[in-house]
Amino acid sequence: MTDTIAAIATAVSNAGISIIRVSGSDAVQIVDEIFVTKGGKHILNHVASHTIHYGFIQEQDEMIDEVMVSVMKAPKSYTAEDVVEINCHGGVLVTNKILKTVLAHGARIAEPGEFTKRAFLNGRIDLTKAEAIMDLIEAKSDYALKASENQLQGKIYDEVVKLRKKVIYEIAFIESAIDDPEHISLDGYTERLMQVVDAVLLEIEELIKNAENGKLIKEGIDTVIVGKPNAGKSSLLNRMLGEEKAIVTDIAGTTRDIIQESMKLGGISLNLIDTAGIHETDDVVEKIGVGKAKECIEKADLVVYVVDASVPLDESDQSIIEMLSGKKVIVLLNKSDMETVVYEQLMRDRIAECIGSDMDQCRIVSTSTKEKTGLKEFEEQIRDMFFTGEISFNDEVLITNARQERALVDAKEALCLVKQSLEDEMPEDFYSIDLMNAYASLGSIIGEEVEDDLVQEIFSKFCMGK
Ligand SMILES: Nc1nc2c(ncn2[C@@H]2O[C@H](COP(=O)(O)OP(=O)(O)OP(=O)(O)O)[C@@H](O)[C@H]2O)c(=O)[nH]1
Ligand SMILES: [Mg+2]
Protein backbone atom coordinates (compact mmCIF):
# COMPACT_ATOMS: atom_id res chain seq x y z
CA MET A 1 0.00 0.00 0.00
CA THR A 2 2.76 2.41 -0.81
CA ASP A 3 1.42 3.72 -4.10
CA THR A 4 0.01 7.20 -4.37
CA ILE A 5 -3.68 7.61 -5.13
CA ALA A 6 -5.63 10.54 -6.52
CA ALA A 7 -9.28 11.42 -7.07
CA ILE A 8 -11.62 14.34 -7.42
CA ALA A 9 -12.86 14.90 -3.88
CA THR A 10 -15.73 17.24 -4.66
CA ALA A 11 -18.89 16.60 -6.66
CA VAL A 12 -18.10 16.60 -10.35
CA SER A 13 -20.17 19.47 -11.69
CA ASN A 14 -19.61 22.98 -12.85
CA ALA A 15 -19.24 24.30 -9.33
CA GLY A 16 -17.09 27.25 -8.26
CA ILE A 17 -14.25 25.18 -6.91
CA SER A 18 -13.19 21.57 -7.20
CA ILE A 19 -10.63 19.70 -5.17
CA ILE A 20 -8.31 16.98 -6.40
CA ARG A 21 -6.91 14.99 -3.53
CA VAL A 22 -3.62 13.14 -3.79
CA SER A 23 -2.42 10.80 -1.04
CA GLY A 24 0.65 8.65 -0.60
CA SER A 25 4.39 8.86 -0.24
CA ASP A 26 4.87 10.47 -3.67
CA ALA A 27 1.99 12.93 -3.34
CA VAL A 28 4.19 15.97 -2.77
CA GLN A 29 6.69 14.98 -5.46
CA ILE A 30 3.99 14.35 -8.06
CA VAL A 31 2.21 17.65 -7.53
CA ASP A 32 5.52 19.48 -7.30
CA GLU A 33 6.29 18.40 -10.85
CA ILE A 34 3.17 20.09 -12.22
CA PHE A 35 2.75 23.04 -9.87
CA VAL A 36 4.64 26.32 -10.26
CA THR A 37 4.42 29.61 -8.40
CA LYS A 38 3.69 32.91 -10.10
CA GLY A 39 7.45 33.30 -10.48
CA GLY A 40 7.64 29.92 -12.25
CA LYS A 41 9.33 28.07 -9.39
CA HIS A 42 8.78 24.50 -8.19
CA ILE A 43 8.55 24.84 -4.42
CA LEU A 44 6.35 22.12 -2.99
CA ASN A 45 9.18 19.79 -2.02
CA HIS A 46 10.44 22.41 0.40
CA VAL A 47 7.32 23.88 1.93
CA ALA A 48 6.22 23.31 5.51
CA SER A 49 3.37 20.95 6.31
CA HIS A 50 -0.12 22.41 6.56
CA THR A 51 0.53 25.35 4.31
CA ILE A 52 -1.35 26.52 1.25
CA HIS A 53 0.22 27.92 -1.91
CA TYR A 54 -0.94 29.99 -4.82
CA GLY A 55 0.21 29.16 -8.33
CA PHE A 56 -0.51 27.28 -11.52
CA ILE A 57 -0.87 23.73 -12.70
CA GLN A 58 1.06 23.33 -15.91
CA GLU A 59 2.05 20.49 -18.15
CA GLN A 60 4.79 20.92 -20.73
CA ASP A 61 4.50 24.70 -20.65
CA GLU A 62 0.73 24.59 -21.08
CA MET A 63 -1.00 26.39 -18.23
CA ILE A 64 -4.04 24.36 -17.18
CA ASP A 65 -5.47 26.33 -14.26
CA GLU A 66 -4.77 28.84 -11.55
CA VAL A 67 -4.91 26.96 -8.25
CA MET A 68 -4.35 26.86 -4.51
CA VAL A 69 -2.45 23.83 -3.32
CA SER A 70 -2.41 22.64 0.28
CA VAL A 71 0.21 20.30 1.64
CA MET A 72 -0.46 18.10 4.66
CA LYS A 73 2.41 15.83 5.58
CA ALA A 74 2.04 12.46 7.28
CA PRO A 75 0.82 11.58 9.80
CA LYS A 76 -1.33 14.67 10.39
CA SER A 77 -3.59 14.29 7.41
CA TYR A 78 -6.88 12.65 6.54
CA THR A 79 -5.22 9.40 5.47
CA ALA A 80 -2.21 9.73 7.80
CA GLU A 81 -0.09 9.78 4.62
CA ASP A 82 1.29 12.78 2.76
CA VAL A 83 -1.74 14.49 1.27
CA VAL A 84 -1.81 17.26 -1.29
CA GLU A 85 -5.07 18.91 -2.27
CA ILE A 86 -5.35 20.97 -5.40
CA ASN A 87 -8.14 23.56 -5.26
CA CYS A 88 -8.84 24.42 -8.85
CA HIS A 89 -11.63 26.22 -10.67
CA GLY A 90 -14.66 24.02 -10.81
CA GLY A 91 -15.61 22.82 -14.20
CA VAL A 92 -15.71 19.25 -15.30
CA LEU A 93 -13.19 19.75 -18.07
CA VAL A 94 -10.49 21.53 -16.08
CA THR A 95 -10.86 19.27 -13.05
CA ASN A 96 -10.53 16.15 -15.14
CA LYS A 97 -7.56 17.55 -16.97
CA ILE A 98 -5.72 18.23 -13.72
CA LEU A 99 -6.58 14.77 -12.43
CA LYS A 100 -5.24 13.24 -15.64
CA THR A 101 -2.04 15.22 -15.30
CA VAL A 102 -1.60 14.00 -11.74
CA LEU A 103 -2.13 10.43 -12.93
CA ALA A 104 0.33 10.92 -15.78
CA HIS A 105 2.95 11.84 -13.18
CA GLY A 106 2.64 8.57 -11.31
CA ALA A 107 -0.48 8.56 -9.14
CA ARG A 108 -3.11 5.90 -9.48
CA ILE A 109 -6.84 6.66 -9.51
CA ALA A 110 -8.32 5.93 -6.08
CA GLU A 111 -11.01 3.33 -5.63
CA PRO A 112 -14.25 4.54 -4.04
CA GLY A 113 -13.63 5.06 -0.34
CA GLU A 114 -9.93 4.37 -0.62
CA PHE A 115 -8.84 7.53 1.19
CA THR A 116 -10.97 6.54 4.15
CA LYS A 117 -9.76 2.95 3.92
CA ARG A 118 -6.20 4.20 4.16
CA ALA A 119 -7.09 6.33 7.14
CA PHE A 120 -8.33 3.15 8.79
CA LEU A 121 -5.43 0.95 7.74
CA ASN A 122 -3.02 3.57 8.97
CA GLY A 123 -4.74 3.49 12.33
CA ARG A 124 -6.01 7.04 12.23
CA ILE A 125 -9.65 6.06 12.54
CA ASP A 126 -11.35 2.88 13.73
CA LEU A 127 -13.67 0.85 11.57
CA THR A 128 -16.87 2.33 12.97
CA LYS A 129 -15.62 5.79 12.09
CA ALA A 130 -14.63 4.67 8.59
CA GLU A 131 -18.09 3.23 8.09
CA ALA A 132 -19.68 6.34 9.55
CA ILE A 133 -17.84 8.43 6.98
CA MET A 134 -19.13 6.18 4.21
CA ASP A 135 -22.64 6.44 5.64
CA LEU A 136 -22.25 10.18 5.93
CA ILE A 137 -21.49 10.40 2.24
CA GLU A 138 -24.45 8.19 1.46
CA ALA A 139 -26.78 9.54 4.15
CA LYS A 140 -30.23 9.52 2.67
CA SER A 141 -31.80 11.86 5.15
CA ASP A 142 -31.03 14.38 7.86
CA TYR A 143 -31.78 11.78 10.47
CA ALA A 144 -29.50 9.14 9.05
CA LEU A 145 -26.96 11.94 8.89
CA LYS A 146 -27.38 12.59 12.60
CA ALA A 147 -26.83 8.94 13.39
CA SER A 148 -23.66 8.88 11.29
CA GLU A 149 -22.39 11.98 13.03
CA ASN A 150 -22.86 10.35 16.41
CA GLN A 151 -20.96 7.34 15.23
CA LEU A 152 -18.25 9.56 13.89
CA GLN A 153 -17.83 11.18 17.26
CA GLY A 154 -16.83 7.76 18.46
CA LYS A 155 -19.83 6.89 20.58
CA ILE A 156 -19.99 3.37 19.27
CA TYR A 157 -16.27 3.05 19.61
CA ASP A 158 -16.38 4.15 23.26
CA GLU A 159 -19.27 1.86 24.04
CA VAL A 160 -17.65 -1.18 22.47
CA VAL A 161 -14.29 -0.51 24.08
CA LYS A 162 -16.00 -0.29 27.47
CA LEU A 163 -17.69 -3.66 26.99
CA ARG A 164 -14.53 -5.31 25.71
CA LYS A 165 -12.62 -4.13 28.75
CA LYS A 166 -15.04 -5.89 31.04
CA VAL A 167 -14.79 -9.11 29.05
CA ILE A 168 -11.01 -9.21 28.70
CA TYR A 169 -10.59 -8.61 32.42
CA GLU A 170 -12.50 -11.80 33.16
CA ILE A 171 -10.62 -13.82 30.53
CA ALA A 172 -7.33 -12.67 31.93
CA PHE A 173 -8.48 -13.50 35.44
CA ILE A 174 -9.50 -17.04 34.50
CA GLU A 175 -6.32 -17.66 32.50
CA SER A 176 -4.15 -16.38 35.32
CA ALA A 177 -6.02 -18.48 37.89
CA ILE A 178 -5.64 -21.61 35.81
CA ASP A 179 -1.92 -20.92 35.40
CA ASP A 180 -1.33 -19.98 38.99
CA PRO A 181 -3.93 -21.67 41.23
CA GLU A 182 -1.77 -21.16 44.34
CA HIS A 183 -2.12 -17.39 44.21
CA ILE A 184 -5.39 -16.77 42.40
CA SER A 185 -8.47 -18.62 43.58
CA LEU A 186 -11.58 -19.22 41.53
CA ASP A 187 -13.69 -19.99 44.59
CA GLY A 188 -17.02 -18.24 44.33
CA TYR A 189 -15.91 -16.72 41.06
CA THR A 190 -18.77 -18.09 38.94
CA GLU A 191 -21.30 -15.88 40.67
CA ARG A 192 -19.30 -12.78 39.95
CA LEU A 193 -18.81 -13.85 36.34
CA MET A 194 -22.52 -14.42 35.94
CA GLN A 195 -23.17 -10.86 37.07
CA VAL A 196 -20.63 -9.43 34.65
CA VAL A 197 -21.97 -11.49 31.76
CA ASP A 198 -25.53 -10.42 32.53
CA ALA A 199 -24.53 -6.76 32.64
CA VAL A 200 -22.62 -6.95 29.36
CA LEU A 201 -25.43 -8.88 27.71
CA LEU A 202 -27.90 -6.21 28.75
CA GLU A 203 -25.85 -3.50 27.11
CA ILE A 204 -25.30 -5.50 23.94
CA GLU A 205 -29.03 -6.14 23.70
CA GLU A 206 -29.62 -2.42 24.05
CA LEU A 207 -27.23 -1.77 21.17
CA ILE A 208 -28.95 -4.40 19.05
CA LYS A 209 -32.33 -2.89 19.82
CA ASN A 210 -31.06 0.50 18.78
CA ALA A 211 -29.71 -1.07 15.64
CA GLU A 212 -33.30 -1.67 14.69
CA ASN A 213 -34.00 2.01 15.18
CA GLY A 214 -30.93 2.74 13.12
CA LYS A 215 -32.36 0.67 10.36
CA LEU A 216 -35.60 2.51 10.66
CA ILE A 217 -33.87 5.78 10.04
CA LYS A 218 -31.93 4.50 7.09
CA GLU A 219 -34.60 2.60 5.33
CA GLY A 220 -37.66 4.65 6.09
CA ILE A 221 -40.50 4.56 8.56
CA ASP A 222 -43.32 2.18 7.73
CA THR A 223 -46.38 4.38 7.88
CA VAL A 224 -49.73 2.77 7.35
CA ILE A 225 -52.91 4.70 6.61
CA VAL A 226 -56.03 3.05 8.01
CA GLY A 227 -59.65 3.93 8.57
CA LYS A 228 -63.18 3.11 7.53
CA PRO A 229 -64.13 2.94 3.86
CA ASN A 230 -64.54 6.34 2.21
CA ALA A 231 -62.74 8.23 5.00
CA GLY A 232 -60.25 9.71 2.52
CA LYS A 233 -57.23 7.42 3.01
CA SER A 234 -56.34 7.20 -0.66
CA SER A 235 -56.90 10.93 -1.04
CA LEU A 236 -54.40 11.46 1.77
CA LEU A 237 -51.84 9.20 0.13
CA ASN A 238 -52.21 11.09 -3.14
CA ARG A 239 -51.83 14.44 -1.38
CA MET A 240 -48.70 13.34 0.44
CA LEU A 241 -47.13 11.99 -2.72
CA GLY A 242 -48.25 14.97 -4.76
CA GLU A 243 -49.61 12.70 -7.47
CA GLU A 244 -52.63 10.53 -8.11
CA LYS A 245 -51.21 7.12 -7.25
CA ALA A 246 -54.33 5.62 -5.72
CA ILE A 247 -57.81 5.53 -7.15
CA VAL A 248 -60.25 7.77 -5.32
CA THR A 249 -64.00 7.43 -5.75
CA ASP A 250 -67.03 8.10 -3.62
CA ILE A 251 -67.76 4.36 -3.59
CA ALA A 252 -66.91 2.80 -0.24
CA GLY A 253 -64.46 -0.04 -0.69
CA THR A 254 -62.52 1.46 -3.59
CA THR A 255 -59.12 0.39 -2.34
CA ARG A 256 -59.05 -3.36 -2.02
CA ASP A 257 -55.39 -4.20 -1.89
CA ILE A 258 -52.60 -2.35 -0.17
CA ILE A 259 -50.74 0.34 -2.09
CA GLN A 260 -47.17 1.07 -1.09
CA GLU A 261 -45.09 4.13 -2.02
CA SER A 262 -42.00 5.78 -0.58
CA MET A 263 -41.62 9.47 -0.03
CA LYS A 264 -39.43 12.02 1.71
CA LEU A 265 -40.88 14.25 4.33
CA GLY A 266 -38.43 16.95 5.35
CA GLY A 267 -35.54 14.55 5.58
CA ILE A 268 -37.44 11.52 6.85
CA SER A 269 -38.07 8.66 4.48
CA LEU A 270 -41.54 7.24 4.80
CA ASN A 271 -42.83 4.01 3.33
CA LEU A 272 -46.47 4.93 2.94
CA ILE A 273 -49.03 2.17 2.82
CA ASP A 274 -52.65 2.82 1.86
CA THR A 275 -55.04 0.08 2.93
CA ALA A 276 -58.56 -1.09 2.30
CA GLY A 277 -61.19 0.50 4.54
CA ILE A 278 -61.73 -1.52 7.69
CA HIS A 279 -65.28 -2.63 8.41
CA GLU A 280 -67.36 -5.74 8.82
CA THR A 281 -67.97 -7.14 5.36
CA ASP A 282 -69.14 -10.29 3.61
CA ASP A 283 -67.40 -9.44 0.37
CA VAL A 284 -64.61 -11.98 -0.03
CA VAL A 285 -62.17 -9.66 -1.76
CA GLU A 286 -62.80 -6.84 0.71
CA LYS A 287 -62.36 -9.26 3.60
CA ILE A 288 -58.89 -10.17 2.42
CA GLY A 289 -58.08 -6.47 2.11
CA VAL A 290 -59.26 -5.82 5.66
CA GLY A 291 -57.14 -8.72 6.92
CA LYS A 292 -54.11 -7.24 5.22
CA ALA A 293 -54.79 -3.84 6.76
CA LYS A 294 -54.75 -5.45 10.20
CA GLU A 295 -51.42 -7.11 9.46
CA CYS A 296 -50.03 -3.80 8.28
CA ILE A 297 -50.97 -2.13 11.55
CA GLU A 298 -49.08 -4.77 13.49
CA LYS A 299 -45.90 -4.24 11.49
CA ALA A 300 -46.14 -0.47 11.14
CA ASP A 301 -43.88 2.02 12.88
CA LEU A 302 -46.53 4.70 12.61
CA VAL A 303 -50.26 4.42 12.03
CA VAL A 304 -52.28 7.24 10.51
CA TYR A 305 -55.93 6.72 11.39
CA VAL A 306 -58.15 8.67 9.01
CA VAL A 307 -61.61 9.42 10.35
CA ASP A 308 -64.41 10.81 8.22
CA ALA A 309 -65.44 13.52 10.65
CA SER A 310 -68.65 14.22 8.76
CA VAL A 311 -70.24 10.97 9.89
CA PRO A 312 -70.66 9.62 13.44
CA LEU A 313 -68.22 7.14 14.90
CA ASP A 314 -69.51 3.58 14.89
CA GLU A 315 -68.55 0.00 15.67
CA SER A 316 -66.02 -0.18 12.87
CA ASP A 317 -64.19 2.73 14.49
CA GLN A 318 -64.28 0.84 17.73
CA SER A 319 -62.61 -2.21 16.19
CA ILE A 320 -60.02 -0.01 14.49
CA ILE A 321 -59.21 1.75 17.76
CA GLU A 322 -58.75 -1.61 19.43
CA MET A 323 -56.17 -2.55 16.82
CA LEU A 324 -54.26 0.65 17.50
CA SER A 325 -53.54 -0.05 21.13
CA GLY A 326 -49.82 0.19 21.83
CA LYS A 327 -48.98 1.70 18.42
CA LYS A 328 -47.72 5.14 17.54
CA VAL A 329 -50.74 6.84 16.08
CA ILE A 330 -51.78 10.11 14.50
CA VAL A 331 -55.54 10.56 14.14
CA LEU A 332 -56.78 12.73 11.28
CA LEU A 333 -60.27 14.13 11.56
CA ASN A 334 -60.76 14.42 7.82
CA LYS A 335 -63.32 16.19 5.65
CA SER A 336 -63.15 19.24 7.90
CA ASP A 337 -64.46 21.25 4.94
CA MET A 338 -67.87 19.65 5.52
CA GLU A 339 -70.21 19.88 8.44
CA THR A 340 -68.47 17.74 11.05
CA VAL A 341 -69.85 15.65 13.89
CA VAL A 342 -66.57 14.20 15.20
CA TYR A 343 -64.40 16.69 17.07
CA GLU A 344 -61.20 16.20 19.04
CA GLN A 345 -62.61 15.74 22.54
CA LEU A 346 -65.25 13.31 21.31
CA MET A 347 -62.52 11.32 19.59
CA ARG A 348 -60.41 11.24 22.75
CA ASP A 349 -63.36 10.12 24.84
CA ARG A 350 -64.16 7.36 22.41
CA ILE A 351 -60.55 6.17 22.38
CA ALA A 352 -60.47 6.14 26.18
CA GLU A 353 -63.72 4.17 26.24
CA CYS A 354 -62.32 1.58 23.89
CA ILE A 355 -58.80 1.05 25.16
CA GLY A 356 -58.36 3.06 28.35
CA SER A 357 -55.42 5.41 28.70
CA ASP A 358 -53.20 3.71 26.10
CA MET A 359 -53.49 6.51 23.55
CA ASP A 360 -54.05 9.47 25.88
CA GLN A 361 -51.23 11.42 24.34
CA CYS A 362 -52.03 10.57 20.75
CA ARG A 363 -51.93 13.38 18.26
CA ILE A 364 -55.15 14.49 16.60
CA VAL A 365 -55.21 16.83 13.62
CA SER A 366 -58.12 18.22 11.61
CA THR A 367 -57.61 17.90 7.88
CA SER A 368 -59.31 18.22 4.59
CA THR A 369 -57.63 16.35 1.81
CA LYS A 370 -60.06 18.02 -0.53
CA GLU A 371 -59.20 21.59 0.47
CA LYS A 372 -55.63 20.66 1.43
CA THR A 373 -55.96 22.07 4.93
CA GLY A 374 -54.25 20.68 8.01
CA LEU A 375 -51.78 18.68 5.95
CA LYS A 376 -48.83 20.87 6.92
CA GLU A 377 -49.64 20.42 10.58
CA PHE A 378 -49.97 16.68 10.05
CA GLU A 379 -46.52 16.51 8.48
CA GLU A 380 -45.16 18.64 11.29
CA GLN A 381 -46.51 16.10 13.76
CA ILE A 382 -44.70 13.27 11.99
CA ARG A 383 -41.46 15.20 11.98
CA ASP A 384 -41.92 16.07 15.60
CA MET A 385 -42.60 12.48 16.60
CA PHE A 386 -39.47 11.20 15.02
CA PHE A 387 -37.16 14.09 15.58
CA THR A 388 -37.69 14.80 19.24
CA GLY A 389 -40.16 12.46 20.77
CA GLU A 390 -40.76 8.80 20.40
CA ILE A 391 -37.54 7.78 18.77
CA SER A 392 -34.57 9.68 20.02
CA PHE A 393 -31.14 9.22 18.64
CA ASN A 394 -29.42 12.28 19.97
CA ASP A 395 -27.94 10.61 23.02
CA GLU A 396 -28.17 7.02 22.00
CA VAL A 397 -25.56 4.92 20.39
CA LEU A 398 -26.94 3.73 17.12
CA ILE A 399 -25.64 0.83 15.15
CA THR A 400 -26.75 1.66 11.63
CA ASN A 401 -24.70 -0.89 9.91
CA ALA A 402 -25.61 -4.49 9.22
CA ARG A 403 -22.06 -5.75 9.71
CA GLN A 404 -21.86 -4.17 13.13
CA GLU A 405 -25.25 -5.54 14.05
CA ARG A 406 -24.17 -9.04 13.02
CA ALA A 407 -21.05 -8.77 15.19
CA LEU A 408 -23.18 -7.72 18.15
CA VAL A 409 -25.46 -10.69 17.66
CA ASP A 410 -22.38 -12.97 17.53
CA ALA A 411 -21.06 -11.47 20.75
CA LYS A 412 -24.45 -11.95 22.36
CA GLU A 413 -24.58 -15.59 21.33
CA ALA A 414 -21.10 -16.23 22.70
CA LEU A 415 -22.05 -14.67 26.03
CA CYS A 416 -25.20 -16.78 26.17
CA LEU A 417 -22.95 -19.83 25.84
CA VAL A 418 -20.91 -18.57 28.78
CA LYS A 419 -24.10 -18.35 30.79
CA GLN A 420 -25.01 -21.87 29.73
CA SER A 421 -21.60 -23.21 30.80
CA LEU A 422 -21.95 -21.43 34.13
CA GLU A 423 -25.37 -22.94 34.71
CA ASP A 424 -24.09 -26.39 33.74
CA GLU A 425 -21.08 -25.91 36.06
CA MET A 426 -18.60 -26.64 33.31
CA PRO A 427 -14.85 -26.26 33.95
CA GLU A 428 -13.42 -22.74 33.79
CA ASP A 429 -11.64 -23.02 30.47
CA PHE A 430 -15.05 -23.44 28.82
CA TYR A 431 -16.00 -19.95 29.87
CA SER A 432 -12.87 -18.40 28.63
CA ILE A 433 -13.25 -19.80 25.11
CA ASP A 434 -16.70 -18.27 24.72
CA LEU A 435 -15.66 -15.07 26.45
CA MET A 436 -12.84 -14.83 23.95
CA ASN A 437 -15.28 -15.28 21.07
CA ALA A 438 -17.46 -12.50 22.46
CA TYR A 439 -14.38 -10.32 22.82
CA ALA A 440 -13.34 -11.04 19.24
CA SER A 441 -16.81 -10.29 17.86
CA LEU A 442 -16.94 -6.98 19.70
CA GLY A 443 -13.46 -6.27 18.40
CA SER A 444 -14.52 -6.86 14.83
CA ILE A 445 -16.94 -3.93 15.17
CA ILE A 446 -14.06 -1.54 15.67
CA GLY A 447 -11.57 -3.53 13.60
CA GLU A 448 -9.25 -4.67 16.36
CA GLU A 449 -7.18 -7.77 16.79
CA VAL A 450 -7.38 -9.92 19.86
CA GLU A 451 -4.20 -11.75 20.77
CA ASP A 452 -2.00 -8.95 22.01
CA ASP A 453 -4.70 -7.54 24.24
CA LEU A 454 -4.90 -10.63 26.38
CA VAL A 455 -1.17 -10.81 26.90
CA GLN A 456 -1.22 -7.13 27.76
CA GLU A 457 -4.09 -7.50 30.20
CA ILE A 458 -2.59 -10.51 31.93
CA PHE A 459 0.72 -8.76 32.34
CA SER A 460 -0.69 -5.48 33.46
CA LYS A 461 -3.29 -6.79 35.91
CA PHE A 462 -2.24 -10.12 37.30
CA CYS A 463 1.44 -10.68 36.81
CA MET A 464 2.85 -7.57 38.42
CA GLY A 465 6.21 -8.17 40.02
CA LYS A 466 6.36 -11.83 39.19
N1 LIG B 1 -65.45 16.83 1.29
C1 LIG B 1 -64.40 16.04 1.33
N2 LIG B 1 -64.36 14.88 0.64
C2 LIG B 1 -63.28 14.11 0.71
C3 LIG B 1 -62.16 14.45 1.50
N3 LIG B 1 -61.24 13.48 1.39
C4 LIG B 1 -61.76 12.55 0.56
N4 LIG B 1 -63.00 12.93 0.14
C5 LIG B 1 -63.90 12.20 -0.74
O1 LIG B 1 -64.30 11.00 -0.10
C6 LIG B 1 -64.43 9.95 -1.05
C7 LIG B 1 -63.55 8.76 -0.63
O2 LIG B 1 -62.18 9.12 -0.73
P1 LIG B 1 -61.05 8.05 -0.81
O3 LIG B 1 -59.78 8.74 -0.71
O4 LIG B 1 -61.26 7.13 -1.97
O5 LIG B 1 -61.35 7.25 0.52
P2 LIG B 1 -60.69 5.91 1.04
O6 LIG B 1 -60.62 6.04 2.51
O7 LIG B 1 -59.46 5.61 0.33
O8 LIG B 1 -61.82 4.86 0.69
P3 LIG B 1 -61.68 3.28 0.45
O9 LIG B 1 -60.53 3.03 -0.42
O10 LIG B 1 -62.97 2.94 -0.17
O11 LIG B 1 -61.55 2.66 1.79
C8 LIG B 1 -64.06 10.55 -2.39
O12 LIG B 1 -65.24 10.91 -3.05
C9 LIG B 1 -63.24 11.76 -2.01
O13 LIG B 1 -63.31 12.76 -2.99
C10 LIG B 1 -62.20 15.71 2.22
O14 LIG B 1 -61.27 16.11 2.95
N5 LIG B 1 -63.35 16.44 2.10
MG1 LIG C 1 -58.90 4.06 -0.80
Side-chain angles (χ1 to χ4, degrees):
M1 206 192 60
T2 50
D3 57 350
T4 297
I5 53 174
I8 299 168
T10 43
V12 181
S13 68
N14 288 321
I17 288 175
S18 295
I19 299 174
I20 294 125
R21 182 186 270 163
V22 190
S23 175
S25 48
D26 294 334
V28 178
Q29 175 59 35
I30 287 169
V31 182
D32 182 58
E33 285 168 20
I34 59 173
F35 173 80
V36 292
T37 60
K38 209 173 168 193
K41 291 202 176 94
H42 292 265
I43 57 162
L44 285 191
N45 266 326
H46 314 291
V47 300
S49 183
H50 293 78
T51 53
I52 187 159
H53 306 273
Y54 169 76
F56 303 89
I57 296 293
Q58 64 176 35
E59 175 72 333
Q60 288 160 359
D61 295 334
E62 183 205 353
M63 204 270 276
I64 299 175
D65 197 11
E66 183 185 25
V67 296
M68 299 285 282
V69 168
S70 37
V71 175
M72 288 146 288
K73 298 246 175 84
K76 287 190 176 167
S77 73
Y78 182 71
T79 55
E81 302 172 337
D82 284 354
V83 170
V84 180
E85 287 182 358
I86 306 168
N87 290 242
C88 66
H89 290 104
V92 179
L93 211 70
V94 173
T95 315
N96 270 328
K97 203 160 176 186
I98 296 176
L99 177 64
K100 276 189 192 151
T101 312
V102 170
L103 298 179
H105 281 257
R108 160 173 78 70
I109 188 87
E111 292 158 22
E114 199 175 0
F115 291 99
T116 305
K117 185 171 140 201
R118 287 192 170 193
F120 164 67
L121 290 174
N122 291 327
R124 204 184 68 74
I125 53 175
D126 75 88
L127 205 53
T128 58
K129 275 189 196 140
E131 282 170 344
I133 290 166
M134 297 300 179
D135 285 349
L136 203 64
I137 294 166
E138 288 170 9
K140 290 205 178 73
S141 69
D142 297 351
Y143 301 98
L145 199 65
K146 256 219 138 52
S148 306
E149 280 166 2
N150 267 349
Q151 204 175 44
L152 203 56
Q153 285 162 12
K155 290 197 177 169
I156 290 178
Y157 182 84
D158 295 346
E159 189 70 22
V160 169
V161 166
K162 201 179 79 193
L163 294 176
R164 288 182 96 221
K165 263 196 186 135
K166 289 185 186 167
V167 174
I168 195 91
Y169 180 91
E170 301 307 326
I171 301 170
F173 184 81
I174 296 169
E175 297 287 320
S176 309
I178 291 171
D179 275 357
D180 187 7
E182 278 173 42
H183 293 96
I184 302 175
S185 158
L186 283 170
D187 283 351
Y189 170 68
T190 51
E191 271 162 42
R192 193 186 90 200
L193 181 60
M194 192 63 127
Q195 281 172 5
V196 174
V197 169
D198 278 338
V200 173
L201 263 176
L202 211 66
E203 292 192 50
I204 289 179
E205 273 159 12
E206 195 63 26
L207 284 171
I208 294 174
K209 205 170 81 204
N210 286 344
E212 275 152 25
N213 289 345
K215 253 197 238 139
L216 194 78
I217 297 160
K218 267 201 159 167
E219 291 162 11
I221 296 148
D222 286 335
T223 307
V224 60
I225 305 171
V226 298
K228 282 191 298 191
N230 241 354
K233 300 178 294 296
S234 300
S235 308
L236 177 72
L237 178 91
N238 290 344
R239 286 280 178 253
M240 291 181 80
L241 294 173
E243 53 183 316
E244 306 297 308
K245 282 277 177 178
I247 300 169
V248 169
T249 73
D250 55 2
I251 305 163
T254 302
T255 309
R256 297 200 158 198
D257 206 349
I258 59 170
I259 299 171
Q260 197 159 351
E261 290 290 332
S262 348
M263 67 165 293
K264 278 276 182 57
L265 196 147
I268 315 171
S269 307
L270 299 183
N271 302 323
L272 276 182
I273 302 165
D274 180 22
T275 62
I278 296 175
H279 70 130
E280 294 306 314
T281 175
D282 292 328
D283 182 302
V284 185
V285 182
E286 261 193 293
K287 254 199 164 124
I288 298 172
V290 173
K292 279 192 185 168
K294 288 183 186 171
E295 269 176 42
C296 285
I297 292 178
E298 273 164 34
K299 287 193 210 135
D301 302 309
L302 171 66
V303 182
V304 180
Y305 171 25
V306 182
V307 177
D308 179 348
S310 71
V311 298
L313 296 170
D314 61 21
E315 278 135 38
S316 298
D317 290 293
Q318 170 151 355
S319 38
I320 295 170
I321 292 168
E322 280 162 6
M323 290 178 212
L324 299 182
S325 177
K327 304 295 301 185
K328 286 174 192 151
V329 182
I330 300 180
V331 180
L332 299 187
L333 302 179
N334 194 37
K335 306 202 184 181
S336 63
D337 54 290
M338 294 168 72
E339 194 143 329
T340 57
V341 291
V342 185
Y343 47 95
E344 183 176 334
Q345 195 52 50
L346 183 79
M347 191 73 226
R348 288 200 187 282
D349 291 346
R350 181 56 68 89
I351 291 171
E353 258 170 52
C354 292
I355 54 171
S357 60
D358 243 23
M359 277 169 57
D360 266 2
Q361 304 301 320
C362 94
R363 295 151 195 260
I364 299 180
V365 183
S366 259
T367 56
S368 163
T369 51
K370 188 177 170 200
E371 308 278 329
K372 301 190 193 175
T373 55
L375 296 174
K376 276 244 149 59
E377 194 194 335
F378 164 56
E379 297 189 348
E380 255 329 293
Q381 294 288 349
I382 298 185
R383 281 177 59 85
D384 197 52
M385 270 176 116
F386 288 93
F387 202 20
T388 55
E390 273 90 321
I391 296 179
S392 138
F393 27 82
N394 292 327
D395 320 305
E396 281 172 298
V397 178
L398 282 181
I399 302 277
T400 54
N401 174 295
R403 186 193 66 79
Q404 295 172 3
E405 192 181 348
R406 184 64 241 167
L408 283 172
V409 171
D410 289 345
K412 179 182 159 180
E413 282 168 2
L415 288 175
C416 286
L417 288 176
V418 177
K419 270 182 80 128
Q420 193 60 52
S421 308
L422 282 169
E423 277 157 15
D424 297 346
E425 297 178 22
M426 304 291 274
E428 280 79 10
D429 37 358
F430 271 79
Y431 322 149
S432 69
I433 292 168
D434 292 324
L435 283 171
M436 205 59 189
N437 286 339
Y439 184 74
S441 295
L442 288 173
S444 75
I445 295 176
I446 55 175
E448 274 186 15
E449 296 298 323
V450 178
E451 290 75 17
D452 298 345
D453 295 356
L454 181 60
V455 177
Q456 177 73 19
E457 185 78 8
I458 289 177
F459 276 99
S460 68
K461 296 258 161 56
F462 302 106
C463 299
M464 291 284 255
K466 257 176 85 180

